[in-house]
């Protein structure tokens, strides 16, 4: 009987007082540990957040830099107090057969004689078909625009943005490609006021206009493309042509953003200045600012 009672006494377990003491001690140890690890953990989270902001800013700047370097000469323009930058994105370029080339080599892109009635407007590319700078399978595709000797605002008939019956036009849509022959949907090159031909018989292929829009109200930087080239630079988001369907969100948490464009004298180049700030004021991560300059080719 005594052995049975001793066994029951040994198997009683913890008392309530013992459990309370253990809980209190565990809480004290946990609080001490939290005090010591909170600062390094918060520091790690802040560093990770700043790294993410830096990566976002760098990615957006690289995308814009690439587009500016592929911009049609004299097509970069800025409006909206520096909040909107637009350019015409080229995918390739080449040399067209001209009136000055020997006869019998193909169809010329003439600035003197329009195509005969009933004959499709077309021209022959000199040499091999040009490579595609954007990586697509076909360098010249239906829907692209052929642009010749773009001078921008310097001379209206040679401004790819300003095509109209009154201003003339130096671009035409591509409706077909067969070998080295490019068929055009229109032929504005001999219609008064006629554009000037390229001194080197060069043409560029424009795939789409591109707009970079800073929205400081929403704190976003968005890239828009795939819309129709317009004479007036679009500067309103949420409405055509800068609609959501054409937009690609590049960055959030934008606190400041500005573009500027300067034409450099005597070198036929332009300088695009980019200033982009990301983050949250008075936060642990602070605000990260990126400033970058990119040169745009303006030799048509």
């Amino acid at each position: 009987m005594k052995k049975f009672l001793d066994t029951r006494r040994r198997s009683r377990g913890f008392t309530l007082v013992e459990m309370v003491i253990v809980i209190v001690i565990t809480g004290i140890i946990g609080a001490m540990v939290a005090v010591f690890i909170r600062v390094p953990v918060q520091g790690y989270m802040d560093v990770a957040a700043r790294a993410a902001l830096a990566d976002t800013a760098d990615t957006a700047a690289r995308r814009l830099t690439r587009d500016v370097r592929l911009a049609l000469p004299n097509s970069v323009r800025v409006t909206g107090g520096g909040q909107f930058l637009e350019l015409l994105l080229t995918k390739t370029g080449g040399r067209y057969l001209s009136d000055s080339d020997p006869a019998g080599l193909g169809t010329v892109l003439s600035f003197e004689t329009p195509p005969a009635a009933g004959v499709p407007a077309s021209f022959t590319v000199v040499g091999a078909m040009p490579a595609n700078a954007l990586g697509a399978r076909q360098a010249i595709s239906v829907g692209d625009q052929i642009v010749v000797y773009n001078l921008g605002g310097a001379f209206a008939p040679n401004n790819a943005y300003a095509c109209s019956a009154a201003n003339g036009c130096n671009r035409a849509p591509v409706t077909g490609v067969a070998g080295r022959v490019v068929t055009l949907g229109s032929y504005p090159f001999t219609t008064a006021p006629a554009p000037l031909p390229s001194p080197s018989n060069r043409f560029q292929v424009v795939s789409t206009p591109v707009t970079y829009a800073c929205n400081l109200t929403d704190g976003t930087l968005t890239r828009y493309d795939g819309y129709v080239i317009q004479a007036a630079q679009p500067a309103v988001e949420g409405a055509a042509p800068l609609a959501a369907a054409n937009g690609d969100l590049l960055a959030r948490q934008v606190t400041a953003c500005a573009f500027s464009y300067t034409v450099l004298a005597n070198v036929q180049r332009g300088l695009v200045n980019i200033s982009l700030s990301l983050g949250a004021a008075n936060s642990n991560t602070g605000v990260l600012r990126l400033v970058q300059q990119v040169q745009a080719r303006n030799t048509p």
Side-chain angles (χ1 to χ4, degrees), residues 96 99 108-117 119 121-122 148 157-158 164-165 167-172 184 186-197:
Y96 59 84
D99 292 301
V108 302
L109 182 63
S110 178
F111 285 74
E112 301 173 2
T113 306
V119 177
S122 62
V148 177
N158 286 79
S164 69
N167 295 329
C169 191
N170 65 333
R171 63 177 169 89
L184 305 175
S186 62
Y187 202 89
F189 306 109
T190 57
T191 303
L196 297 173

Side-chain angles (χ1 to χ4, degrees), residues 52-78:
L53 289 177
D55 183 64
T56 298
D58 182 66
T59 300
R62 285 175 181 270
R63 184 75 178 272
L64 197 153
T65 298
R66 173 181 175 242
D67 285 351
V68 169
R69 288 175 177 168
L70 291 174
L72 179 73
N74 303 299
S75 71
V76 176
R77 54 184 183 176
V78 174

Side-chain angles (χ1 to χ4, degrees), residues 82-103:
Q83 304 301 299
F84 294 86
L85 180 147
E86 187 180 32
L87 55 87
L88 298 179
L89 188 65
T90 63
K91 55 194 295 193
T92 190
R95 184 177 180 273
Y96 59 84
L97 196 65
S98 71
D99 292 301
S100 60
D101 288 310

